[in-house]
Amino acid sequence: MVARTFLVRHDDSTFTVDYDTDDGFEVFQFQLFSLTSIPPDEQKIVGEDNDRIVSDDSDLAAVSEKLQLVSITSEEARKPEKQEETTSSTTGAGNFDAGTSVMSDEELARMLQAEEEALLLQQYVAGDNRAHFEEKVRPHISKVLLYEDPVRQEAARKTVPLDNLEEKALVSLAKEGNFKPSKVEEDHAFLLQLLFWFKRSFSWVNAPPCDGCGNETTAQGRGDALPSEIQYGATIVELYRCNSCSRVTRFPRYNDPLKLVETRTGRCGEWANCFTLYCRAFGYESRLVLDFTDHVWTECYSEALGRWMHLDPGEAIYDRPLLYEKGWGKKLNYVIAIAKDGVYDVTKRYTRKWNEVLSRRAITTESSVVSVLTSITKECRRNCTSQVLSILEERDNIEREALERDLRSTDDAPISLPGRQSGDKQWRIARSEFGTDSLSSSSCTVRICSDEHVTKIYNAFSSILHKFVEDSLTASKGVEVLKILRATVVDLKKLPYKKRRASLKPNSVVGTSLVHQLLPSFKELLNALSLKSERDSNGILSVCLAGDPVQTALALPVALHALDELISDLSKCDNFSKGSLSFPLLRLNRICSGAVLASGEELPFGIATAAFDGTRMSKWEEPNGAKGCWIMYKLSANMQELVAYELMSANDAPERDPMDWVVEGSNDGGLRWHVLDERRSEMFDKRFRRKTYNVKSTGFLSNMFRFRFLAVRDVKSTSRLQVGSIDLYAKQN
């Protein structure tokens, strides 16, 4: 540990920053974010003495104590117009300088030298089998042209729960604070939901179950394809004998995506083939990507990113092109993207070891590879108009430049990529594609919590419970009222998100008159859910949308889980009275809308803000947090005194539950920390167990809080920590 004090100049101000080098560079960036409001990914930190850029690779124990902080966004805005034009024309995918970490000059020189040597060696190693290379690529052209068939596209669209995926896409954007997304943003989010849905709806086949009794089968080799199988491109048919009844089951390897939409089974070839059809069916520019080392996946052009994006439907992983080399340990050679308008060598997108890859590209020379692909691409484009050709050629040039930059990028350095998850374990081990089981990041971005609706829902129960006391309802009758509200929420969740309407249905305990009597107390909760109540001519009460349906979609799961907990808590109240209306039955003054940073997170579903979204459907997961990790929360407004907090266990794996932790507060944006609470040997006795803690050290106003988790429940059996939710409660004014 080295304690440093830095003098950081930004604009006309100078900040004193105390820093412990053991905390890591991202903590230092978060401290600067707290002081200057410049997000870490927009920070450029330079030593004033030598103009050297300070980065994650720098030794903060040795750099100059005088630093200058510049906002990359502001710096870009100040560049001359001519330079801006040059930047936009060469990066293609957006602000490369701001968003991409590149290797040092020394590293680049070593890489270029190794590449030059590999190219020289390849001239002697590579064969002259141009025809064989072409034979591996050309047959896939007819396959991708099937994706353009309107009949096949319509068959694919009919199987998709469109409304459900649209809702999930919009909710995912809303969780990031984007309630008014552009069409481009919405399309990007929908594509990701399409990927996740496809993963859930398509089945992987190791060995098909017996057609007769459904029991396990054993491979028996191959058989001749039947005419009905050949009709859908199944030139290969695998045979399996039942281990119980000895019946032979056929597994045709269909190549026609129309048939795959029906069967919804297969291995990576079928998965990628069918998913690429789905992408085209919804209008995305798409490619089938062929890896000569025996894998297939999809690429789609993302208007939101301004570039091609990798999607692997079998793994449900997107935009992680180093998955195969870094996660699976593949020794790549040729990766060819095949589309209706051409074929492309995209190998450089999927490697950071180009010189090693070159040594394995032995089918034919590099010039022959370029020649073959260029020739096929010209054939694919022979009927294109000059305007379309111009657009395609410009995109080709942009992509070539991007592929060269990808080789020099270090953006994925903090990302831990998983081994292969699809397929039988022994099969994956035999293919040397078995690795870790998670996609995670040890260098997290600062995320903003879009959770004001959670606080509003918690606060809304106050008027309902006060009305129960005012009208002298017993706890048991109050529980029945809450069950009516819960049933209404469940009914609303089942409906299309743009057409939600459900009745408030009385039951045998709570009659219509009592529901009408209590209705005014429901108003605050309905407002929090962007709902309103209506009464028809027959006196039947219903609840319907009152505003943005996305707000309702975001809030309904929170309300459902909050009602479950309130019903449980109220049912345990022996003497329900005004004195019962206190914490934790009432969870008032919950802190919200802050910024969050963590020591690590699971991507894409176990991110840090998942701990603050108010639902049981998510969790924050730290893949390397079993022996120690942290999560920090920066307030969006004034100082607050933390008086209580709640932690909830996640959905599974009790060995990952936090057991020992320290809660700290800071009144200077994270420069110095004050211990607020400390717990040891805490146990969560079941899943989704919410535990409430009153802060032991009160009276300290903070603008930032930090949980330092020291150990999990069973540190010997896991490397992970997970938390279902964290709720922070401030002192009421």
Side-chain angles (χ1 to χ4, degrees):
M1 181 190 78
V2 178
R4 295 291 309 273
T5 299
F6 293 105
L7 298 176
V8 182
R9 183 164 61 87
H10 173 61
D11 292 339
D12 298 326
S13 303
T14 299
F15 302 95
T16 301
V17 181
D18 292 327
Y19 174 70
D20 181 344
T21 56
D22 281 351
D23 286 342
F25 183 65
E26 65 271 15
V27 174
F28 183 60
Q29 289 183 294
F30 196 70
Q31 290 176 322
L32 296 179
F33 168 59
S34 300
L35 296 168
T36 65
S37 297
I38 299 176
D41 57 352
E42 294 183 13
Q43 294 176 6
K44 180 178 179 182
I45 306 169
V46 182
E48 287 200 344
D49 296 344
N50 52 19
D51 290 333
R52 182 169 295 176
I53 294 177
V54 180
S55 68
D56 196 21
D57 297 327
S58 303
D59 181 3
L60 287 177
V63 301
S64 168
E65 68 177 15
K66 294 183 178 180
L67 303 173
Q68 181 178 3
L69 173 65
V70 179
S71 167
I72 291 173
T73 303
S74 300
E75 188 178 49
E76 288 294 316
R78 289 195 294 268
K79 286 183 179 179
E81 184 178 349
K82 184 176 181 180
Q83 187 170 351
E84 284 183 352
E85 291 175 356
T86 303
T87 301
S88 63
S89 66
T90 57
T91 60
N95 193 343
F96 167 73
D97 293 333
T100 305
S101 301
V102 295
M103 55 183 64
S104 66
D105 291 343
E106 183 178 347
E107 291 171 323
L108 178 59
R110 285 199 300 268
M111 190 198 77
L112 291 175
Q113 182 178 354
E115 182 178 330
E116 184 177 347
E117 292 172 354
L119 276 170
L120 287 171
L121 178 62
Q122 202 233 18
Q123 294 179 17
Y124 300 99
V125 173
D128 190 19
N129 206 337
R130 172 192 172 115
H132 177 56
F133 177 81
E134 186 169 351
E135 287 169 4
K136 292 180 75 69
V137 176
R138 188 174 286 279
H140 294 277
I141 299 297
S142 58
K143 181 184 294 186
V144 300
L145 291 178
L146 293 177
Y147 306 150
E148 306 308 307
D149 175 30
V151 173
R152 288 174 170 82
Q153 290 188 5
E154 180 61 21
R157 283 192 293 267
K158 284 181 177 179
T159 66
V160 176
L162 184 60
D163 190 85
N164 180 259
L165 297 193
E166 283 183 355
E167 178 182 0
K168 288 183 175 181
L170 292 169
V171 167
S172 71
L173 292 167
K175 285 185 175 182
E176 299 172 357
N178 186 356
F179 287 93
K180 300 294 181 183
S182 66
K183 178 67 163 57
V184 166
E185 292 169 328
E186 193 173 330
D187 286 346
H188 182 81
F190 181 85
L191 176 59
L192 301 186
Q193 294 304 322
L194 185 67
L195 174 71
F196 303 146
W197 167 82
F198 187 87
K199 170 67 173 177
R200 294 190 301 269
S201 63
F202 216 78
S203 299
W204 183 273
V205 175
N206 294 310
C210 175
D211 283 341
C213 64
N215 286 317
E216 293 183 356
T217 61
T218 301
Q220 299 294 303
R222 293 182 177 179
D224 294 330
L226 302 174
S228 60
E229 296 165 338
I230 295 173
Q231 179 185 355
Y232 295 104
T235 56
I236 296 174
V237 177
E238 299 173 4
L239 303 179
Y240 293 83
R241 186 174 298 278
C242 180
N243 298 336
S244 299
C245 70
S246 298
R247 177 170 175 169
V248 173
T249 294
R250 302 172 65 84
F251 177 39
R253 302 300 302 275
Y254 292 115
N255 278 297
D256 189 332
L258 180 63
K259 188 65 174 180
L260 296 174
V261 168
E262 175 192 330
T263 64
R264 313 186 74 74
T265 60
R267 302 194 190 113
C268 62
E270 289 91 345
W271 282 63
N273 186 5
C274 192
F275 179 68
T276 310
L277 169 64
Y278 275 100
C279 294
R280 288 298 298 131
F282 285 98
Y284 298 98
E285 290 294 321
S286 308
R287 298 165 166 174
L288 186 69
V289 182
L290 177 65
D291 160 26
F292 281 20
T293 62
D294 193 25
H295 192 47
V296 195
W297 60 87
T298 305
E299 284 185 349
C300 286
Y301 191 81
S302 168
E303 296 288 350
L305 300 177
R307 57 176 171 80
W308 289 95
M309 181 173 68
H310 148 260
L311 301 108
D312 191 315
E315 308 296 304
I317 289 178
Y318 63 92
D319 207 21
R320 296 296 173 193
L322 296 186
L323 172 69
Y324 312 109
E325 180 178 83
K326 188 176 175 183
W328 295 18
K330 264 182 169 290
K331 306 297 183 184
L332 299 171
N333 48 30
Y334 301 93
V335 181
I336 308 298
I338 303 160
K340 63 182 174 62
D341 51 30
V343 289
Y344 311 85
D345 184 355
V346 294
T347 312
K348 290 181 178 179
R349 178 173 295 129
Y350 295 92
T351 182
R352 293 296 180 270
K353 302 176 181 178
W354 177 239
N355 56 312
E356 295 180 19
V357 170
L358 272 173
S359 70
R360 296 190 290 269
R361 288 164 70 99
I363 296 176
T364 188
T365 62
E366 291 303 291
S367 59
S368 292
V369 169
V370 172
S371 177
V372 168
L373 299 183
T374 301
S375 175
I376 297 175
T377 297
K378 285 182 178 178
E379 291 177 27
C380 293
R381 297 179 180 181
R382 62 178 176 267
N383 295 323
C384 292
T385 65
S386 58
Q387 183 179 6
V388 171
L389 283 174
S390 177
I391 293 171
L392 291 173
E393 288 167 4
E394 181 181 2
R395 184 180 286 184
D396 290 349
N397 290 332
I398 291 172
E399 182 174 25
R400 277 192 289 270
E401 293 169 359
L403 290 173
E404 292 300 326
R405 288 198 306 272
D406 286 344
L407 282 179
R408 294 154 177 75
S409 169
T410 61
D411 271 359
D412 275 333
I415 302 295
S416 173
L417 295 165
R420 186 170 192 157
Q421 305 300 303
S422 56
D424 178 73
K425 180 177 180 180
Q426 294 306 316
W427 178 75
R428 287 180 280 150
I429 292 173
R431 292 167 60 96
S432 300
E433 295 173 351
F434 191 79
T436 63
D437 62 352
S438 69
L439 171 60
S440 60
S441 175
S442 59
S443 180
C444 303
T445 184
V446 173
R447 302 182 186 276
I448 305 300
C449 289
S450 183
D451 62 336
E452 185 180 4
H453 61 288
V454 181
T455 298
K456 287 181 176 179
I457 288 169
Y458 287 5
N459 289 343
F461 289 118
S462 176
S463 59
I464 295 174
L465 293 181
H466 275 89
K467 182 64 174 174
F468 289 175
V469 171
E470 180 184 323
D471 290 357
S472 302
L473 265 66
T474 63
S476 60
K477 183 160 281 192
V479 164
E480 293 301 319
V481 173
L482 295 177
K483 285 181 178 179
I484 291 174
L485 288 174
R486 185 190 185 281
T488 305
V489 169
V490 170
D491 289 343
L492 289 166
K493 280 179 86 308
K494 294 177 181 177
L495 297 170
Y497 78 102
K498 292 180 181 178
K499 301 177 181 179
R500 285 185 160 132
R501 175 183 288 270
S503 299
L504 280 167
K505 301 171 183 174
N507 57 32
S508 58
V509 178
V510 179
T512 301
S513 60
L514 181 56
V515 172
H516 285 215
Q517 177 183 324
L518 296 172
L519 184 60
S521 69
F522 300 162
K523 185 175 181 180
E524 187 178 353
L525 177 60
L526 295 178
N527 287 341
L529 300 175
S530 294
L531 297 170
K532 63 182 178 181
S533 63
E534 290 183 349
R535 186 183 308 181
D536 66 16
S537 56
N538 297 318
I540 297 175
L541 283 174
S542 62
V543 172
C544 60
L545 294 171
D548 184 356
V550 178
Q551 292 271 12
T552 303
L554 180 65
L556 282 176
V558 178
L560 179 61
H561 298 152
L563 280 164
D564 284 340
E565 292 180 0
L566 185 56
I567 288 169
S568 175
D569 292 343
L570 187 58
S571 64
K572 298 172 187 174
C573 274
D574 295 328
N575 298 301
F576 181 57
S577 63
K578 189 174 182 180
S580 308
L581 303 180
S582 61
F583 187 77
L585 187 65
L586 283 181
R587 293 146 64 192
L588 302 175
N589 225 31
R590 177 185 177 275
I591 297 171
C592 64
S593 304
V596 180
L597 180 69
S599 55
E601 60 187 6
E602 182 87 358
L603 303 172
F605 301 117
I607 60 175
T609 46
F612 301 91
D613 65 9
T615 81
R616 296 177 181 175
M617 299 183 297
S618 61
K619 60 185 174 184
W620 169 52
E621 192 165 356
E622 223 287 19
N624 301 301
K627 295 182 180 179
C629 60
W630 50 264
I631 188 168
M632 294 192 291
Y633 189 99
K634 177 180 178 290
L635 301 184
S636 60
N638 300 327
M639 298 269 192
Q640 297 273 16
E641 178 186 345
L642 186 71
V643 294
Y645 62 93
E646 293 179 316
L647 297 182
M648 186 175 71
S649 57
N651 63 315
D652 62 0
E655 67 274 11
R656 302 175 188 170
D657 291 344
M659 185 174 70
D660 303 334
W661 63 83
V662 177
V663 183
E664 299 166 311
S666 173
N667 58 13
D668 54 14
L671 301 180
R672 300 169 186 83
W673 294 98
H674 175 81
V675 175
L676 302 176
D677 197 55
E678 189 170 355
R679 303 286 168 166
R680 292 288 187 274
S681 301
E682 291 291 324
M683 300 293 284
F684 294 81
D685 58 358
K686 64 179 182 179
R687 301 303 83 206
F688 305 124
R689 165 67 76 190
R690 180 183 294 274
K691 299 191 73 172
T692 301
Y693 301 93
N694 291 310
V695 169
K696 295 176 181 177
S697 177
T698 57
F700 186 80
L701 292 175
S702 304
N703 59 8
M704 187 179 294
F705 302 104
R706 177 169 70 179
F707 282 78
R708 286 193 294 114
F709 293 104
L710 309 177
V712 297
R713 180 170 175 172
D714 187 356
V715 74
K716 293 181 180 179
S717 66
T718 183
S719 65
R720 296 169 174 269
L721 173 137
Q722 64 182 25
V723 178
S725 71
I726 302 173
D727 290 295
L728 308 172
Y729 299 94
K731 183 178 181 179
Q732 296 187 50
N733 297 324

